[in-house]
Amino acid sequence: MGEDAAQAPTGASGLAPSAIVVMGVAGCGKSAVGIALADALGAVFIEGDRLHPPENVARMARGEPLTDQLREGWLDAIGEHIAVSIGKGQGVVAACSALKRGYRERLHGFCPDITFLYLEIDPATARQRVASRKGHFMPASLVDSQFAILESPGQDERALTLDATRPIGELVAQAMRSMRRS
């Protein structure tokens, strides 16, 4: 799995961007990496899973994948939280699957300068990680449906792709190094 930037995700000052979305399929480590990255940056962390409406949570808990339409309000809620944090002058790291280019474009509508940190993982490892989670609504049976719609960030997107099987500390360090490159 690659560890290369599709586009150098850095601002003119060379500092980490003010808005980062840690993305990927269930089980890739979005929350764990996002929390650690937000801590390293002194940024606010937004847990996208907590912003799902109850209907979406119930649907996923039943093993039913979400449709594009069902994701719209959820993506908007994440985008609004990002925009509010940026509006307050706070850096922000959000965990959000952002599986399709259209979802990422929707988030860009709230904050054009978002950098996506894509945690790339293979299906077997993702299924195993999701199956071992306790107290989460997302069943391992939905992992394949996420891979089925996944559109990895393109070379023209402001994104950094990292191998999600690496330790969290390494992922955060690599993200920080890549985002500071000029």
Side-chain angles (χ1 to χ4, degrees):
M1 292 183 208
E3 289 191 8
D4 47 73
Q7 178 181 341
T10 183
S13 66
L15 298 176
S18 58
I20 300 166
V21 172
V22 183
M23 61 160 289
V25 299
C28 71
K30 293 181 294 291
S31 297
V33 171
I35 290 167
L37 184 58
D39 185 56
L41 294 171
V44 172
F45 177 70
I46 297 169
E47 175 55 74
D49 281 348
R50 291 197 181 124
L51 298 176
H52 274 295
E55 303 79 31
N56 285 7
V57 172
R59 183 180 179 103
M60 288 183 282
R62 290 192 306 267
E64 300 172 26
L66 298 180
T67 64
D68 289 349
Q69 185 177 15
L70 289 171
R71 285 187 173 94
E72 288 176 356
W74 171 66
L75 290 165
D76 289 350
I78 293 169
E80 288 167 4
H81 277 75
I82 290 170
V84 166
S85 292
I86 295 299
K88 292 179 179 176
Q90 301 170 319
V92 61
V93 177
C96 172
S97 56
L99 298 172
K100 292 183 177 183
R101 177 184 283 264
Y103 302 167
R104 296 187 292 275
E105 290 171 352
R106 191 174 190 101
L107 292 171
H108 273 296
F110 292 91
C111 179
D113 294 328
I114 291 174
T115 296
F116 291 93
L117 177 58
Y118 171 42
L119 300 180
E120 188 176 44
I121 193 167
D122 63 275
T125 303
R127 277 191 300 276
Q128 185 235 358
R129 286 181 177 183
V130 173
S132 68
R133 292 196 297 204
K134 299 205 184 318
H136 196 279
F137 57 81
M138 177 84 168
S141 62
L142 286 181
V143 171
D144 289 337
S145 70
Q146 290 203 328
F147 276 99
I149 65 166
L150 175 64
E151 297 171 3
S152 299
Q155 291 295 315
D156 61 329
E157 292 184 77
R158 187 175 182 166
L160 172 67
T161 298
L162 297 178
D163 178 349
T165 64
R166 306 299 305 154
I168 293 167
E170 284 182 28
L171 292 169
V172 170
Q174 177 64 40
M176 298 282 289
R177 279 192 303 272
S178 296
M179 290 179 201
R180 285 196 172 117
R181 286 186 194 138
S182 26

